Short mmCIF file of all heavy atoms in Angstrom, two decimals:
data_model
loop_
_atom_site.label_atom_id
_atom_site.label_comp_id
_atom_site.label_asym_id
_atom_site.label_seq_id
_atom_site.Cartn_x
_atom_site.Cartn_y
_atom_site.Cartn_z
N ALA A 11 -10.81 -82.41 -172.05
CA ALA A 11 -11.16 -81.53 -173.16
C ALA A 11 -9.89 -80.85 -173.66
O ALA A 11 -9.30 -80.03 -172.96
CB ALA A 11 -12.18 -80.48 -172.73
N GLY A 12 -9.43 -81.23 -174.85
CA GLY A 12 -8.25 -80.60 -175.44
C GLY A 12 -7.07 -81.53 -175.56
O GLY A 12 -6.68 -82.16 -174.58
N ALA A 13 -6.49 -81.61 -176.77
CA ALA A 13 -5.32 -82.47 -177.01
C ALA A 13 -4.10 -81.64 -177.37
O ALA A 13 -3.35 -81.96 -178.28
CB ALA A 13 -5.63 -83.47 -178.13
N GLY A 14 -3.92 -80.55 -176.61
CA GLY A 14 -2.73 -79.74 -176.78
C GLY A 14 -1.66 -80.14 -175.78
O GLY A 14 -1.66 -81.27 -175.25
N LEU A 15 -0.75 -79.23 -175.50
CA LEU A 15 0.34 -79.51 -174.57
C LEU A 15 -0.18 -79.97 -173.22
O LEU A 15 0.31 -80.94 -172.64
CB LEU A 15 1.19 -78.24 -174.41
CG LEU A 15 2.46 -78.35 -173.56
CD1 LEU A 15 3.48 -79.26 -174.23
CD2 LEU A 15 3.06 -76.96 -173.34
N SER A 16 -1.22 -79.32 -172.70
CA SER A 16 -1.77 -79.66 -171.39
C SER A 16 -2.52 -80.98 -171.41
O SER A 16 -2.33 -81.84 -170.55
CB SER A 16 -2.70 -78.56 -170.90
OG SER A 16 -2.04 -77.31 -170.81
N GLY A 17 -3.41 -81.15 -172.39
CA GLY A 17 -4.24 -82.35 -172.44
C GLY A 17 -3.43 -83.62 -172.61
O GLY A 17 -3.69 -84.63 -171.94
N ILE A 18 -2.45 -83.58 -173.50
CA ILE A 18 -1.59 -84.75 -173.69
C ILE A 18 -0.78 -85.01 -172.42
O ILE A 18 -0.60 -86.16 -172.01
CB ILE A 18 -0.65 -84.55 -174.89
CG1 ILE A 18 -1.47 -84.42 -176.19
CG2 ILE A 18 0.34 -85.69 -175.00
CD1 ILE A 18 -2.34 -85.61 -176.52
N GLY A 19 -0.33 -83.95 -171.77
CA GLY A 19 0.43 -84.11 -170.53
C GLY A 19 -0.38 -84.78 -169.45
O GLY A 19 0.08 -85.72 -168.78
N VAL A 20 -1.62 -84.32 -169.23
CA VAL A 20 -2.49 -84.92 -168.21
C VAL A 20 -2.76 -86.38 -168.55
O VAL A 20 -2.71 -87.26 -167.67
CB VAL A 20 -3.82 -84.14 -168.10
CG1 VAL A 20 -4.82 -84.91 -167.24
CG2 VAL A 20 -3.58 -82.76 -167.52
N ALA A 21 -3.05 -86.67 -169.81
CA ALA A 21 -3.34 -88.04 -170.21
C ALA A 21 -2.13 -88.95 -169.99
O ALA A 21 -2.29 -90.11 -169.58
CB ALA A 21 -3.75 -88.07 -171.68
N CYS A 22 -0.94 -88.45 -170.23
CA CYS A 22 0.28 -89.23 -169.99
C CYS A 22 0.46 -89.51 -168.49
O CYS A 22 0.82 -90.63 -168.10
CB CYS A 22 1.49 -88.51 -170.54
SG CYS A 22 1.60 -88.48 -172.35
N HIS A 23 0.21 -88.51 -167.67
CA HIS A 23 0.30 -88.71 -166.22
C HIS A 23 -0.69 -89.78 -165.77
O HIS A 23 -0.36 -90.65 -164.96
CB HIS A 23 0.02 -87.39 -165.49
CG HIS A 23 1.21 -86.50 -165.35
ND1 HIS A 23 2.09 -86.59 -164.29
CD2 HIS A 23 1.67 -85.49 -166.13
CE1 HIS A 23 3.05 -85.68 -164.43
NE2 HIS A 23 2.80 -84.99 -165.54
N LEU A 24 -1.91 -89.72 -166.29
CA LEU A 24 -2.92 -90.71 -165.93
C LEU A 24 -2.51 -92.10 -166.39
O LEU A 24 -2.70 -93.10 -165.68
CB LEU A 24 -4.26 -90.33 -166.54
CG LEU A 24 -5.02 -89.19 -165.85
CD1 LEU A 24 -6.14 -88.67 -166.74
CD2 LEU A 24 -5.61 -89.66 -164.51
N ALA A 25 -1.94 -92.21 -167.60
CA ALA A 25 -1.52 -93.51 -168.12
C ALA A 25 -0.43 -94.12 -167.26
O ALA A 25 -0.36 -95.34 -167.08
CB ALA A 25 -1.05 -93.35 -169.56
N GLN A 26 0.44 -93.28 -166.71
CA GLN A 26 1.55 -93.76 -165.90
C GLN A 26 1.16 -94.04 -164.46
O GLN A 26 1.68 -94.98 -163.84
CB GLN A 26 2.69 -92.73 -165.94
CG GLN A 26 3.32 -92.54 -167.32
CD GLN A 26 4.26 -91.35 -167.39
OE1 GLN A 26 4.63 -90.78 -166.36
NE2 GLN A 26 4.68 -90.98 -168.58
N LYS A 27 0.24 -93.25 -163.90
CA LYS A 27 -0.06 -93.34 -162.47
C LYS A 27 -1.42 -93.98 -162.18
O LYS A 27 -1.63 -94.48 -161.08
CB LYS A 27 0.00 -91.94 -161.85
CG LYS A 27 1.39 -91.32 -161.95
CD LYS A 27 1.36 -89.83 -161.71
CE LYS A 27 2.74 -89.24 -161.96
NZ LYS A 27 2.73 -87.77 -161.90
N CYS A 28 -2.33 -93.91 -163.14
CA CYS A 28 -3.66 -94.51 -162.96
C CYS A 28 -4.00 -95.31 -164.22
O CYS A 28 -5.00 -95.02 -164.91
CB CYS A 28 -4.72 -93.43 -162.73
SG CYS A 28 -4.39 -92.31 -161.36
N PRO A 29 -3.19 -96.32 -164.55
CA PRO A 29 -3.38 -97.02 -165.83
C PRO A 29 -4.69 -97.78 -165.94
O PRO A 29 -5.12 -98.11 -167.05
CB PRO A 29 -2.18 -97.99 -165.85
CG PRO A 29 -1.81 -98.17 -164.42
CD PRO A 29 -2.07 -96.86 -163.76
N GLU A 30 -5.33 -98.05 -164.80
CA GLU A 30 -6.59 -98.79 -164.83
C GLU A 30 -7.77 -97.91 -165.24
O GLU A 30 -8.87 -98.43 -165.54
CB GLU A 30 -6.87 -99.40 -163.46
CG GLU A 30 -7.32 -98.44 -162.37
CD GLU A 30 -6.21 -97.55 -161.80
OE1 GLU A 30 -5.04 -97.72 -162.22
OE2 GLU A 30 -6.51 -96.69 -160.94
N LYS A 31 -7.59 -96.61 -165.27
CA LYS A 31 -8.68 -95.70 -165.58
C LYS A 31 -8.92 -95.62 -167.09
O LYS A 31 -7.99 -95.58 -167.89
CB LYS A 31 -8.40 -94.30 -165.03
CG LYS A 31 -8.28 -94.23 -163.51
CD LYS A 31 -9.54 -94.71 -162.83
CE LYS A 31 -9.44 -94.62 -161.31
NZ LYS A 31 -10.64 -95.19 -160.65
N LYS A 32 -10.19 -95.57 -167.45
CA LYS A 32 -10.58 -95.41 -168.84
C LYS A 32 -10.64 -93.92 -169.15
O LYS A 32 -11.43 -93.18 -168.57
CB LYS A 32 -11.93 -96.07 -169.10
CG LYS A 32 -12.34 -96.08 -170.58
CD LYS A 32 -13.67 -96.77 -170.78
CE LYS A 32 -14.06 -96.76 -172.26
NZ LYS A 32 -15.38 -97.40 -172.49
N VAL A 33 -9.79 -93.50 -170.05
CA VAL A 33 -9.59 -92.07 -170.33
C VAL A 33 -9.81 -91.80 -171.81
O VAL A 33 -9.43 -92.60 -172.67
CB VAL A 33 -8.17 -91.62 -169.92
CG1 VAL A 33 -7.95 -90.15 -170.26
CG2 VAL A 33 -7.93 -91.88 -168.44
#
Side-chain angles (χ1 to χ4, degrees):
L15 185 66
S16 302
I18 296 301
V20 170
C22 288
H23 275 273
L24 284 165
Q26 294 170 12
K27 297 164 186 173
C28 305
E30 75 285 357
K31 297 301 181 185
K32 186 178 180 182
V33 178

